[in-house]
Amino acid sequence: NAGVTQTPKFQVLKTGQSMTLQCAQDMNHEYMSWYRQDPGMGLRLIHYSVGAGITDQGEVPNGYNVSRSTTEDFPLRLLSAAPSQTSVYFCASSFGETQYFGPGTRLLVL
Amino acid sequence: GESVGLHLPTLSVQEGDNSIINCAYSNSASDYFIWYKQESGKGPQFIIDIRSNMDKRQGQRVTVLLNKTVKHLSLQIAATQPGDSAVYFCAEKPADSWGKLQFGAGTQVVVTP
């Protein structure tokens, strides 16, 4: 199994641009989530999904959209990037309570 | 609000010694706790977890202790090795929120020769 995969690894955006961060898992996990990690801080939950077709907001959802059309994929969309969204983004999936993380996407918004 | 926090932001440990990383939590409703290790440039890696009905759980070279009376969680690493150098995060899950982990800020562990 590849586990949780994320693309791209690194991205630079200009303010106002849009992009989609991709996340996929091949473990047939129902639960998937997106976190952001800022320097000196722990991970903060952006959005999560308990199964295909079901999504909900986490702690810091503003500026981000998600959808879950399949069990495997959980993309995160930035509709209009802002410098405050410069961060490292991690996707995670789980069957039970233990979440397994992808390698992350480092995003820089200028 | 309630949050998970760590006592020590940086821990320097000599190779071969035991490491103890501490974590305080304030949400008495949390029923699941987990430790992650994060190496530079990588995603968090699961180390060990424990449920609130347990006080102690052991893995390979790691032990997690849970003291619900004082809301304290610790991770012990035996015979610390250079490969243990990383940031360690504790996280808690409130009983009424399936899968929604709350993370502490992390502790940087530096293993010196």
Side-chain angles (χ1 to χ4, degrees), chain B residues 38-57:
Chain B
Q38 186 176 27
E39 296 174 281
S40 181
K42 297 184 179 180
Q45 177 186 1
F46 169 79
I47 301 174
I48 192 167
D49 58 2
I50 188 168
R51 298 189 183 281
S52 59
N53 61 354
M54 302 172 67
D55 297 323
K56 178 180 179 179
R57 192 170 187 212

Side-chain angles (χ1 to χ4, degrees), chain A residues 36-105:
Chain A
R36 61 177 288 172
Q37 183 176 37
D38 299 300
M41 300 180 68
L43 285 79
R44 292 184 292 169
L45 183 64
I46 304 172
H47 285 285
Y48 65 99
S49 168
V50 298
I54 306 170
T55 64
D56 205 347
Q57 296 180 349
E59 181 185 354
V60 287
N62 292 342
Y64 308 96
N65 284 342
V66 291
S67 60
R68 184 92 179 271
S69 57
T70 67
T71 299
E72 294 78 19
D73 301 296
F74 190 43
L76 178 72
R77 297 184 184 85
L78 285 71
L79 297 180
S80 180
S84 61
Q85 293 179 305
T86 292
S87 188
V88 182
Y89 292 85
F90 291 100
C91 178
S93 74
S94 68
F95 177 72
E97 290 165 316
T98 304
Q99 295 189 25
Y100 298 92
F101 287 82
T105 293

